Amino acid sequence: MKRTSGISVTSRRVALCAVLVLAATSASVAAADEAAGPFGVTAVVGDTAQSARVGALFGADKAGSLSGNHFCTASVVHSPRRDLIITAAHCIDGEGDATGLVFVPGYRDGQAPYGVWKIGKRYLPDGWAHGQDEDSDIAFAVLDERGGRRIEDVTGSNRFAAGVATGATAVTVTGYPDSREVPVSCTNKPVAHSATQQRIDCPEFTGGTSGSPWVNGDHEVVGVLGGHEQGGSTPDVSYSVVLGREAAELYQDATAG
């Protein structure tokens, strides 16, 4: 399970060999942003247009003291209202309307370079809402306006894509381990775990990376870290629901709501 938080948290994992694995060169990071490799290497992500679309989730009570308090990852996806994020259902499935959560895109070292955005309405699949089915571990949430602007106006977005075959291309996974104050990224080619779950081999995706987007070379989100074992029980193998009909219908609900 890769979710950790002050909101129904599981035990935090200690990052394994983080210094060695994350000491990748800037060239490696650039290549990962292009979804072209090197495969299976996890590195700290620089401040880029792509990384700005990925952020960390916090409890609203931590908005004034962000450092060390993030618990999951989410990312901006395109919608007609330009106000939508995608994450794992288990990250925002608490009681109430989730207004006690905020999203901080591009979060880094206690700072919010693109602002702190309040989460409004959330959308969870019936399979998760009525039984926490691991095959339904995906969610969308609407962000309130901030200063008269919407999140896409500030960070841009990736497109949401359901129905893409597992392993059709390599993907880049970007997320926030709870033991670090910067995002990390890894590129590899997903493989099928089952008919409804896909997996990727990337080291050091520890607690806090649930909700991390899997983005292909066309800037499409084709997976979200979660699903089996709520993302995986080890830091080196991560999972995502196969984004199929249920995910597509949920996106339609979120964009029409």
Side-chain angles (χ1 to χ4, degrees), residues 12-192:
R12 293 178 182 265
R13 293 190 187 86
V14 177
L16 304 174
C17 306
V19 174
L20 292 176
V21 176
L22 295 172
T25 64
S26 58
S28 295
V29 175
D33 286 343
E34 294 294 329
F39 288 170
V41 175
T42 297
V44 171
V45 181
D47 184 8
T48 67
Q50 275 295 308
S51 66
R53 302 169 185 179
V54 183
L57 296 180
F58 297 78
D61 60 333
K62 304 299 183 182
S65 181
L66 297 175
S67 185
N69 289 311
H70 55 93
F71 70 90
C72 263
T73 302
S75 66
V76 184
V77 290
H78 175 67
S79 66
R81 295 190 307 271
R82 309 185 312 282
D83 59 2
L84 201 64
I85 59 172
I86 189 171
T87 187
H90 72 264
C91 287
I92 59 170
D93 66 351
E95 296 298 322
D97 60 0
T99 53
L101 301 179
V102 296
F103 171 68
V104 182
Y107 172 74
R108 192 175 297 269
D109 295 322
Q111 301 300 308
Y114 305 99
V116 176
W117 298 75
K118 185 178 179 182
I119 290 180
K121 189 172 183 179
R122 59 187 174 149
Y123 295 83
L124 287 81
D126 288 342
W128 184 269
H130 297 154
Q132 296 192 343
D133 184 349
E134 67 175 20
D135 292 336
S136 299
D137 194 6
I138 180 176
F140 295 96
V142 173
L143 301 179
D144 292 351
E145 288 188 3
R146 184 177 184 273
R149 305 182 74 188
R150 299 186 181 183
I151 186 64
E152 270 193 70
D153 301 329
V154 176
T155 65
S157 64
N158 293 311
R159 294 181 299 275
F160 173 75
V164 177
T166 296
T169 65
V171 301
T172 298
V173 185
T174 304
Y176 285 85
D178 61 358
S179 59
R180 302 184 65 84
E181 291 295 284
V182 291
V184 299
S185 182
C186 171
T187 297
N188 213 336
K189 200 166 187 178
V191 297

Side-chain angles (χ1 to χ4, degrees), residues 77 86 158-164 216 219-223 243-244 247-248 251:
V77 290
I86 189 171
N158 293 311
R159 294 181 299 275
F160 173 75
V164 177
N216 66 17
H219 305 303
E220 296 173 329
V221 176
V222 297
L243 302 183
Y251 175 74

